[in-house]
């Protein structure tokens, strides 16, 4: 805009031209035709505008800028998803507080009536000494204090103090009279009744909690499950924005808790690293490696599983549980059957030996990985596998694992038991029958081999070799011969072949022979009878 001599704009426009070749270089970088030399074109061509809008030369530049801004915005959105996952991993590894009975007890602390509080303590009768002006200092060391009786200033101070004292005294007497009024008495009674109701509610709650504690110590399923589910719910407080409910079923027969943990959806883990701008101007997503995405999901699953195991272990201060089985289920919308992605079968000793959660600061950056690490190096997954956990190799391929045990019923059948549960059941049955000094030699998912020794007066005297298995297949005679050889190798006196199924006729005939009469057989019906006799608890028939 040019100005006239008097300083007013005259309506003409002066354009500031860039150096020659400036726009040509920009167009060359963008792959566009630079056109004529910018130094030789008109001001309209240089500015890229006309009276009707942007010129053809400006359109590729604006489109490229818009695409670049949109690419950056989408990349920031993906980065926010990664940051949320990192925060969830951090919070899921926070230690949980033990929700035992002591921590749940409530304490009643009486609230004083407002009129009896600290303000009421200061409601003593106003004293003149608190209002009287200060005595004047003595004229000399041996002289009596001089009262300024004729001093007008002192007289004014004295009169004002007397008025203030009389006003305070009058207000105090008014409050005292109101305190004894029927309205004040009613207010005090209402306060006392409310306090009595509070004290009664706390007492009744603590009494009910003590009843639950007694039932828990008696291993009543409802009491144990209630305590476990309270502890599991409390463990979720650090990640309330990530619902991962966990249900508990307690089986008193094996003193085992079976936990069903609902796992987060698979799309919680970002599938992209960001976006990039292609040479042709398209915005192209940059996918992550499938193995990296699967590892990050399993890292989160491992932390949730370890947290649930720690909550169950920490709350069991009376050591009612002999073991914990945890199954992690992926439940997808659409009515599909849930898929088990992780399963842990841990006895009490294994839980006690394992630090269930990673250290307090497991997310120091290593080699630029940040919170992401290889599955073989992730501490949560390593600790989960140390417990013998079965973990899916690829959750996104829907590769499930076999649950260690099913939480379908509190009265299980033999196929419902985990390997640890079955071993615990066999041990309880035989030690209650008199077989002491129990020592497991081999143990697997199908059964165990152990030795034990009973006292002379017990129902199972002498040294025994026990071979216990579960399954529907018949026990053949060859297994009886194998057990007889193990009895000789262990220098034992007797052998016990226990199965939850049945024996073949050849096996029954073999034990009737003199050479194998030291081998004793217990089938599925016998196992259920022993459970009712020695444990007082039923074992359902196998399916």
């Amino acid at each position: 805009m040019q100005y006239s001599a008097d300083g007013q704009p005259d309506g003409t426009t002066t354009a500031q031209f860039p150096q020659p070749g400036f726009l040509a270089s920009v167009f060359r970088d963008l792959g566009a035709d630079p056109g004529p030399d910018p130094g030789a074109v008109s001001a309209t061509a240089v500015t890229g505008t006309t009276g009707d809008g942007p010129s053809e030369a400006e359109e590729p530049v604006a489109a490229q800028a818009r695409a670049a801004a949109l690419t950056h915005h989408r990349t920031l959105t993906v980065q926010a998803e990664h940051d949320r996952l990192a925060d969830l991993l951090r919070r899921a590894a926070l230690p949980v507080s033990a929700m035992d009975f002591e921590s749940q007890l409530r304490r009643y602390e009486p609230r004083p009536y407002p009129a009896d509080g600290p303000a009421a303590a200061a409601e003593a009768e106003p004293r003149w000494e608190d209002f009287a002006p200060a005595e004047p200092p003595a004229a000399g060391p041996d002289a009596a204090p001089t009262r300024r009786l004729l001093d007008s200033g002192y007289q004014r101070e004295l009169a004002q103090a007397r008025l203030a004292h009389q006003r305070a005294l009058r207000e105090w007497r008014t409050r005292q009279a109101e305190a004894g009024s029927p309205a004040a008495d009613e207010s005090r009674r209402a306060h006392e009744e409310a306090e009595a109701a509070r004290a009664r509610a706390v007492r009744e709650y603590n009494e009910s909690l003590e009843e639950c504690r007694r039932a828990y110590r008696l291993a009543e399923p409802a009491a144990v499950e209630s305590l476990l589910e309270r502890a599991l719910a409390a463990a979720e407080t650090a990640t309330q924005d990530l619902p991962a409910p966990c249900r508990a079923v307690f089986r008193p027969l094996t003193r085992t808790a079976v936990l069903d943990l609902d796992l987060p959806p698979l799309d919680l883990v970002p599938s992209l690293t960001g976006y990039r701008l292609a040479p042709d101007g398209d915005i192209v997503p940059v996918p992550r490696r499938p193995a990296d995405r699967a590892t990050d999901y399993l890292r989160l699953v491992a932390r949730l599983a370890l947290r649930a195991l720690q909550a169950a272990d920490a709350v069991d201060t009376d050591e009612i549980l002999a073991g914990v089985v945890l199954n992690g289920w992926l439940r997808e919308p659409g009515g599909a059957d849930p898929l088990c992605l992780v399963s842990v079968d841990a006895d009490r000793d294994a839980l006690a030996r394992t630090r269930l959660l990673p250290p307090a600061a497991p997310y120091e950056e290593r080699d630029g990985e940040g919170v992401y690490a290889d599955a073989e190096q992730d501490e949560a997954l390593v600790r989960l596998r140390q417990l013998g956990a079965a973990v899916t190799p690829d959750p996104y391929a829907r590769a499930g694992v076999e649950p260690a045990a099913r939480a379908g019923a509190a009265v299980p059948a033999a196929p419902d038991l985990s390997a640890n549960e079955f071993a615990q059941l066999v041990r309880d049955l035989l030690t209650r029958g008199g077989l002491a000094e129990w020592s497991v030699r081999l143990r697997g998912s199908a059964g165990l081999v152990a030795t034990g020794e009973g006292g002379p007066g017990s129902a199972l005297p002498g040294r025994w070799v026990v071979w216990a298995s579960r399954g529907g297949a018949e026990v053949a005679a060859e297994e009886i011969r194998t057990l007889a050889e193990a009895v000789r190798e262990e220098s034992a006196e007797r052998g016990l072949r226990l199965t939850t199924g049945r024996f073949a006729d050849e096996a029954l005939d073999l034990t009737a022979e003199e050479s194998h009469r030291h081998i004793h057989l217990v089938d599925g019906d016998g196992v259920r009878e022993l459970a009712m006799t020695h444990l007082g608890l039923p074992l359902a028939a196998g399916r």
Side-chain angles (χ1 to χ4, degrees):
M1 184 75 70
Q2 292 185 344
Y3 290 79
S4 60
D6 59 356
Q8 299 298 323
D10 60 4
T12 61
T13 302
T14 301
Q16 299 295 325
F17 291 93
Q19 296 180 0
F22 171 76
L23 288 180
S25 64
V26 173
F27 292 150
R28 278 197 302 273
D29 292 340
L30 296 177
D33 184 10
D37 185 5
V41 298
S42 64
T44 303
V46 171
T47 57
T49 59
T50 64
D52 297 330
S55 69
E56 294 182 359
E58 185 192 28
E59 290 180 357
V61 180
Q64 192 83 357
R66 287 193 298 269
L70 184 56
T71 302
H72 179 67
H73 175 72
R74 292 182 178 178
T75 301
L76 290 180
T77 303
V78 173
Q79 185 59 48
E81 295 176 357
H82 283 271
D83 292 342
R84 179 173 183 262
L85 175 62
D87 183 58
L88 287 173
L89 287 169
R90 177 189 62 81
R91 288 185 284 133
L94 294 176
V96 300
S97 301
M99 282 291 295
D100 56 4
F101 287 100
E102 293 297 332
S103 64
Q104 298 182 61
L105 286 174
R106 296 178 181 174
R107 290 167 178 81
Y108 168 70
E109 295 181 1
R111 296 176 297 191
Y113 185 63
D116 299 334
E123 284 291 310
E125 182 177 354
R127 301 181 308 165
W128 165 247
E129 291 80 2
D130 298 330
F131 295 85
E135 290 285 343
D142 301 328
T146 303
R147 288 192 172 275
R148 296 175 294 168
L149 299 178
L150 300 179
D151 189 334
S152 59
Y154 176 73
Q155 292 298 327
R156 281 195 300 273
E157 292 178 9
L158 191 62
Q160 291 174 357
R162 285 173 178 166
L163 288 174
H165 175 246
Q166 291 173 1
R167 186 184 310 111
L169 190 61
R170 185 167 55 252
E171 292 174 354
W172 176 80
R173 289 170 178 166
T174 301
R175 286 193 295 271
Q176 293 297 313
E178 292 175 351
S181 65
D185 293 341
E186 184 63 27
S187 175
R188 182 180 293 274
R189 277 195 302 273
H191 173 80
E192 292 174 352
E193 290 175 358
E195 288 302 299
R198 287 183 61 239
R200 183 170 58 255
V202 171
R203 183 175 64 255
E204 291 174 353
Y205 171 82
N206 289 338
E207 289 175 354
S208 66
L209 194 64
E210 190 59 34
E211 287 293 329
C212 292
R213 186 173 193 170
R214 283 192 288 269
Y216 165 74
R217 287 174 172 172
L218 294 174
E220 295 184 6
V224 178
E225 292 167 5
S226 175
L227 181 64
L228 287 174
E229 291 189 347
R230 287 189 188 185
L232 294 168
E236 295 183 49
T237 55
T239 55
Q240 292 182 351
D241 53 335
L242 177 66
C246 190
R247 292 165 296 279
V249 172
F250 175 69
R251 298 207 271 243
L253 178 68
T254 57
R255 295 185 292 118
T256 298
V258 183
L259 310 180
D260 276 347
L261 174 67
D262 286 354
L263 300 179
L266 293 173
D267 58 5
L268 179 69
V269 177
S271 60
L272 303 176
T273 59
Y275 290 85
R276 63 179 179 85
L277 189 61
D280 59 359
D282 290 339
I283 301 174
V284 180
V286 181
R288 302 182 64 197
R289 290 195 314 154
D292 292 342
R293 191 184 184 198
T295 296
D296 290 340
Y297 183 81
L298 292 180
R299 295 174 68 233
L300 180 60
V301 167
R303 279 155 178 76
L304 296 177
L306 290 176
R307 185 177 68 180
L309 291 172
Q310 188 197 42
D313 180 62
V315 78
D316 186 33
T317 54
D318 292 313
E319 298 187 358
I320 299 300
L321 300 179
V324 176
V325 174
L326 181 139
N327 299 319
W329 298 94
L330 177 65
R331 306 181 191 274
E332 296 183 292
D337 292 336
L339 186 66
C340 184
L341 299 182
V342 60
S343 187
V344 187
D345 181 15
D347 57 22
R348 168 168 288 281
D349 294 338
L351 293 176
R353 290 192 306 266
T354 304
R355 292 181 59 194
L356 293 179
L357 290 179
Y363 302 109
E364 297 178 0
E365 294 198 8
R366 293 175 290 182
D367 301 330
E369 292 176 346
V371 300
Y372 303 108
D374 186 80
E376 299 302 322
Q377 300 175 356
D378 183 72
E379 192 165 3
L381 280 168
V382 169
R383 293 183 182 185
L384 201 60
R385 290 190 173 101
Q386 287 174 348
L387 291 173
V391 182
T392 175
D394 188 358
Y396 292 93
R398 307 306 196 268
V401 299
E402 185 65 25
R406 298 280 183 172
V411 179
D416 298 326
L417 302 178
S418 69
N420 283 331
E421 281 189 281
F422 183 70
Q424 182 67 36
L425 174 62
V426 173
R427 176 175 181 171
D428 289 345
L429 291 177
L430 298 183
T431 53
R432 295 285 183 90
L435 200 62
E437 299 183 14
W438 183 261
S439 176
V440 176
R441 300 301 178 88
L442 295 172
R443 185 170 71 181
S445 59
L448 59 93
V449 176
T451 61
E453 189 167 346
S458 66
L460 301 173
R463 182 172 175 79
W464 290 70
V465 175
V466 178
W467 182 359
S469 64
R470 54 178 177 162
E474 288 186 339
V475 177
E478 185 60 32
E479 296 184 18
I480 304 302
R481 296 188 183 95
T482 302
L483 177 58
E485 292 178 4
V487 170
R488 287 193 297 271
E489 291 176 0
E490 291 288 339
S491 300
E493 301 171 11
R494 295 176 176 85
L496 176 63
R497 184 64 176 93
L498 183 147
T499 179
T500 59
R502 59 187 301 270
F503 294 95
D505 293 338
E506 295 81 3
L508 296 173
D509 295 339
L510 182 60
T511 55
E513 298 178 4
E514 184 66 30
S515 59
H516 289 81
R517 285 186 178 177
H518 63 296
I519 304 298
H520 301 264
L521 307 180
V522 178
D523 61 5
D525 293 336
V527 172
R528 289 189 290 275
E529 184 177 348
L530 288 173
M532 185 58 69
T533 301
H534 294 297
L535 302 179
L537 295 168
L539 177 66
R543 293 183 292 275

